[in-house]
Each structure stands twice: as C-alpha cells, then as structure tokens.
Amino acid sequence: MAEGLARHLLGGQARVSSAGSAPSQVNPYVVEAMAEIGVDISGQHSKSVDDIDPGSVDLVVTLCAEEVCPVLPGRVRRLHWPISDPASKDSSIAPEEMRRRFRTARDQIKGRIEILKSLLDVPQGPPSNEFHGSVRVADLPASVRFYAWLLGTWPKEWTHRYATFIRPDLNLNFVLLVSDGKELHYDTLYHLGIGMADRDAVIDAYHSAIAFGAQVEKPPRTTWKGTPLHELWLNDPDGTLIEIYARLTEAELAVKPVDEMPVFLVPGTEPAAA
C-alpha cells in the first residue's frame, strides 16, 4: 500500500521500493482500497527486506506499530510512521469493517507521504538568530504560572491581556495572549517572528521568499515607530503572519528620518503614490 501510494504521489521525484521482514501475498483488501482512489497495485508483489540493496537507499520509512520492524543496515535517513496493520486473521470481522480498516491505514499513509512530498525539494531558508512566537490562552494567570515553571523565569512584563517571557540564552521571546475574542493589534505579537543578523539578511530573505513562492504581506522596509527594525512580513499558507526582522545598529538609528516614515529597502516595492 505504501509503495503504491508513494509511486503515485511522488512520481519521478523518487525511486520507491518496499519490503518486509516476513513477506506474503498482497492482501485483496489493499488492492480494493487503493483502487477506490484510482491507484492500481494489482501487479505489485510482496518482497523481503533482504532483496533490497542498502547502498541504493537514501531514506528508510518503517510503518510497523505492533509488529517487529524490518532492519535495513547502513547510514541512511530514517523515519518511523507507526501505522496499525489493518490485516487480521480473525474470521469474525465483517468485510465492511475490514474495508474500513484498510481505508483508514491508506489515508494515514497517504497524508504522511503528501507531507514527505512537500519536503523533498525545499530550498534553504533564511538563516535566523532569534525566534519569537505567541499562543492564545483561556486563563492568563494559570498559563503564566505554567510557563514560568517551564521556561524557568518570570515574564519580563505583563498586562491584563498578555505576558512576555524572555530567554536570551535560547534567543526566545515568547508571548501569552488572552483568548478573549477581541481584535488583535500591534502589541499582541500574534505571529511568528524570526530574527536576522542585519539589514542585508532581511533583503536576502525577501528574494529567497519570492523564489520560493511565499506570499509577501509587506516588502522589506525600515520602520522607526515602536521598536525600530528592518522587517519583512510574509503569510504562511493559512494566512498566519511571519515577521522576518533585524534590529537596527547604532549607526542606522542615528540617521532616523524626522518624519519617521518607513524606508523601503528593495527598489520597486514602495507603495504606489496616491
């Protein structure tokens, strides 16, 4: 099942083989479950792990849950996806229940291979040296207590709506936000933030994002109000904001414009004049 799904989903991106520690016949329920999604594996056959040349393998994925996993020697990247074996020798299990079990296993494997497919050709991303993020919580005092214990520090500051934890040794800025249904605004930091080394790194991150196909919310610019930053804003596939930023040097701060209007860092990305 996994081999058929991988061949179908990955196409020419990978050479796919499958094998087991105790190979047997391909289960008819497997053939049926795969045919339901338009994949014909009726010509496949079960193989032994001993038939696989370890030197030809870059990635090993094991699917065993209750049973013993086959072992393929060698220094290769390994992933373990514990999928319960839908097959059973219990004759009391009705055919429709068997079909349901095989469909469940099929869909679980398919979802994982789809993620694997998305990772096979990921280009190198922007280098980061700082991270900040936030989570929404129902009970701010209880969550502050929990994260003070977990992170080993009191929050640097807090209000009735948020608390900010700083761990310089982890390059971490972590914010708790009250999940009260009110509109989020600039001081809630409800986004993922990634710190860069300097202005040029933010500009490079922009060009990397364009090449990758990421959605740009705001192109690279230097902002002066609030915390002065060189910043780039992206959207992830679900619309969550990602801030890529670098703090200004003393020399850069010294040339702050009188009107404190943002300065766009890549020519042609400035907003059109009214």
Side-chain angles (χ1 to χ4, degrees), residues 29-48:
Y29 285 110
V30 173
V31 177
E32 181 180 342
M34 295 291 286
E36 290 176 350
I37 60 171
V39 181
D40 180 9
I41 63 166
S42 59
Q44 290 184 197
H45 64 280
S46 184
K47 300 172 287 296
S48 169

Side-chain angles (χ1 to χ4, degrees), residues 6-239:
R7 291 183 186 277
H8 176 67
L9 294 169
L10 301 181
Q13 288 183 272
R15 186 179 65 252
V16 179
S17 298
S18 68
S21 54
S24 61
Q25 299 299 314
V26 177
N27 192 303
Y29 285 110
V30 173
V31 177
E32 181 180 342
M34 295 291 286
E36 290 176 350
I37 60 171
V39 181
D40 180 9
I41 63 166
S42 59
Q44 290 184 197
H45 64 280
S46 184
K47 300 172 287 296
S48 169
V49 70
D50 296 329
D51 297 332
I52 302 295
D53 174 15
S56 67
V57 177
D58 299 309
L59 172 67
V60 174
V61 181
T62 49
L63 303 176
C64 40
E66 301 88 0
E67 67 276 22
V68 176
C69 284
V71 177
L72 190 72
R75 299 184 64 181
V76 298
R77 188 167 190 169
R78 300 176 189 272
L79 298 173
H80 180 54
W81 301 344
I83 307 292
S84 295
D85 189 351
S88 176
K89 296 180 180 180
D90 185 352
S91 59
S92 67
I93 300 177
E96 194 51 44
E97 171 59 17
M98 289 296 294
R99 293 186 179 94
R100 185 198 65 79
R101 292 170 61 155
F102 276 88
R103 288 169 184 146
T104 297
R106 175 199 68 198
D107 294 344
Q108 290 177 353
I109 296 170
K110 179 174 179 288
R112 296 189 187 216
I113 294 175
E114 287 171 339
I115 294 174
L116 175 62
K117 176 181 173 66
S118 75
L119 295 172
L120 289 181
D121 60 351
V122 176
Q124 183 175 353
S128 58
N129 55 21
E130 185 175 272
F131 169 84
H132 70 253
S134 61
V135 297
R136 305 192 76 172
V137 300
D139 186 331
L140 186 58
S143 293
V144 166
R145 176 178 171 80
F146 173 82
Y147 282 101
W149 164 77
L150 186 68
L151 299 175
T153 184
W154 275 30
K156 178 182 178 181
E157 63 179 0
W158 64 86
T159 71
H160 62 294
R161 293 198 66 201
Y162 68 87
T164 302
F165 289 87
I166 306 292
R167 277 286 301 271
D169 57 315
L170 300 177
N171 296 325
L172 175 68
N173 181 321
F174 181 69
V175 182
L176 302 175
L177 308 172
V178 174
S179 183
D180 55 9
K182 294 183 179 180
E183 184 178 357
L184 299 173
H185 52 86
Y186 69 92
D187 69 357
T188 62
L189 298 177
Y190 189 55
H191 60 269
L192 176 65
I194 300 174
M196 302 281 106
D198 53 29
R199 172 183 180 274
D200 289 342
V202 174
I203 295 173
D204 289 344
Y206 168 75
H207 293 299
S208 176
I210 293 296
F212 179 71
Q215 180 181 346
V216 176
E217 175 72 14
K218 295 178 182 178
R221 58 183 189 161
T222 302
T223 60
W224 309 93
K225 296 178 180 179
T227 302
L229 295 172
H230 305 301
E231 63 176 15
L232 159 70
W233 288 86
L234 307 177
N235 285 109
D236 79 357
D238 290 303

